[in-house]
Amino acid sequence: AQTAKQVILQKIREAEKETISLEYRSKEGESVSGIVQRIEGHTVFVDIGKTLGILNRDEQIPGEFYRPSQRLKLYIMKVEDTPKGSVVILSRAYPKLISKLFELEVPEIASGTVVIKAIAREPGFRTKIAVVSNEEGVDPIGACVGQRGTRIMAVINELGGEKIDVIQWEEKPEKFIANALAPAKIVNVEVQEKNTAVV
């Protein structure tokens, strides 16, 4: 009876691990809310519901400190299979986390009226996102910033004060580069080969 019990428990555990692995594989590339469970060295273990995710040092925001029971928004990078079972790898530094946070705050992005075309990020310092509107009369930058900056502030607070610039996407590289360098006054942009430009 004891042996049978062990075998059944083992099978149940394996089935649970399999279910978790499949569930989080389907969530790769999405954001998730989690609670910091424990910290071992530079690795942070986060409770993301049915399992613990791992936030490695490389995926943490530089200068950000974590404490147990702290609530965080994270990006699900991938699910890795290890001999001990599946491990969910999380990130706070990945640029796509920004777009996911904006999706949560800006209904126009969630509905596809406003599209994020490009993101450049230095985690913990500054992010620039380029947006464009698919509908006449919708101001993409205004939608992302929100009234009195409420929407963008929600994202900034979630990232611990990282600066976020929202700029207008342009098809023409010259115009796009000028927008990206605002508020500097741009006199001339010469696009050269190999994706470089002299401004």
Side-chain angles (χ1 to χ4, degrees):
Q2 202 61 33
T3 312
K5 182 185 169 184
Q6 289 305 49
V7 171
I8 291 166
L9 283 174
Q10 183 64 30
K11 290 284 179 213
I12 289 172
R13 275 195 212 102
E14 280 172 15
E16 277 179 349
K17 280 180 183 167
E18 188 63 31
T19 317
I20 287 165
S21 168
L22 285 170
E23 182 178 331
Y24 285 99
R25 261 183 222 279
S26 69
K27 288 183 178 173
E28 279 178 14
E30 287 182 22
S31 66
V32 67
S33 206
I35 296 168
V36 176
Q37 200 71 29
R38 64 180 196 276
I39 296 153
E40 290 177 11
H42 291 298
T43 307
V44 181
F45 292 86
V46 186
D47 180 355
I48 52 172
K50 293 182 180 171
T51 186
L52 283 185
I54 289 179
L55 183 62
N56 289 319
R57 189 180 189 175
D58 299 348
E59 297 302 334
Q60 296 170 15
I61 295 175
E64 191 170 66
F65 294 100
Y66 305 100
R67 58 183 191 281
S69 74
Q70 178 183 3
R71 195 172 268 284
L72 294 171
K73 285 268 193 320
L74 305 121
Y75 184 84
I76 300 177
M77 296 281 284
K78 57 179 182 238
V79 177
E80 276 185 0
D81 289 320
T82 68
K84 287 184 179 177
S86 298
V87 176
V88 182
I89 306 292
L90 303 168
S91 177
R92 290 270 295 162
Y94 197 62
K96 276 278 174 67
L97 176 64
I98 305 276
S99 60
K100 292 294 172 189
L101 292 176
F102 270 103
E103 263 173 48
L104 293 172
E105 296 297 333
V106 183
E108 289 87 343
I109 290 177
S111 69
T113 310
V114 173
V115 179
I116 297 176
K117 295 288 260 183
I119 301 174
R121 185 177 184 202
E122 281 183 49
F125 302 104
R126 182 184 291 276
T127 290
K128 284 186 188 255
I129 70 164
V131 291
V132 71
S133 164
N134 287 333
E135 261 180 48
E136 285 284 314
V138 175
D139 168 19
I141 295 174
C144 293
V145 173
Q147 276 186 321
R148 298 206 184 100
T150 47
R151 291 173 176 179
I152 202 166
M153 276 317 292
V155 178
I156 289 170
N157 292 338
E158 182 55 56
L159 297 170
E162 185 173 313
K163 292 184 178 68
I164 299 176
D165 295 342
V166 184
I167 60 170
Q168 178 81 37
W169 163 268
E170 290 286 352
E171 206 61 58
K172 278 193 155 172
E174 293 86 348
K175 274 190 158 180
F176 183 40
I177 290 168
N179 290 353
L181 293 173
K185 295 275 181 280
I186 307 301
V187 180
N188 186 35
V189 177
E190 277 178 35
V191 175
Q192 298 180 331
E193 55 200 66
K194 291 184 184 168
N195 279 340
T196 56
V198 175
V199 181

